[in-house]
Amino acid sequence: MALDGDVLAIGDKDAVAFLPSGEGLATGVAFVFERTIGEQSWERSDFLFSDRLNLEDFGESIDVNGEHLVVGAPRGNALYFYSRIRQGGEDRWGFSGRQQGDSLPRLGEHV
């Protein structure tokens, strides 16, 4: 879990999500919640998951800092990067890259 100001990100490596392409299931998700200025409640603003079909443990580690979010997937030896996209008054988190750790075992275990 990571908190930065009015953004809360929670990873769940054991959750299962259907891929939008219909190709199957992704394991591991990240939920992003945001609090409106002056409000006491949190609303889910986005739902992120790995585009891989294998068991990567996506969401085992997570961090958020301002406009950027990183999600660790240690069994996939990878980090996923997202950036905040502001459109029409709503914030979304767009995929901005994946870093594979070929020579680093369990990259993404801690972020």
Side-chain angles (χ1 to χ4, degrees):
M1 180 170 38
L3 176 66
D4 184 40
D6 290 325
V7 177
L8 172 66
I10 300 172
D12 183 352
K13 69 179 182 73
D14 297 319
V16 177
F18 288 98
L19 294 174
S21 62
E23 294 176 17
L25 300 173
T27 56
V29 298
F31 299 98
V32 182
F33 297 88
E34 297 191 43
R35 182 174 54 192
T36 306
I37 297 172
E39 297 290 326
Q40 296 300 318
S41 61
W42 294 84
E43 290 187 29
R44 191 177 85 197
S45 68
D46 223 330
F47 175 71
L48 310 170
F49 49 88
S50 166
D51 61 347
R52 310 287 183 207
L53 294 175
N54 57 1
L55 301 172
E56 291 192 310
D57 281 351
F58 179 89
E60 181 170 312
S61 59
I62 194 164
D63 198 11
V64 62
N65 187 343
E67 306 291 308
H68 305 283
L69 176 75
V70 62
V71 180
R75 286 183 64 194
N77 205 25
L79 295 172
Y80 288 81
F81 299 92
Y82 298 86
S83 297
R84 188 189 316 234
I85 301 168
R86 298 181 187 273
Q87 291 180 340
E90 288 194 22
D91 289 352
R92 303 300 294 170
W93 292 85
F95 178 72
S96 56
R98 182 177 189 271
Q99 177 66 48
Q100 185 70 41
D102 295 329
S103 63
L104 299 171
R106 293 195 53 87
L107 177 68
E109 189 168 20
H110 305 282
V111 296

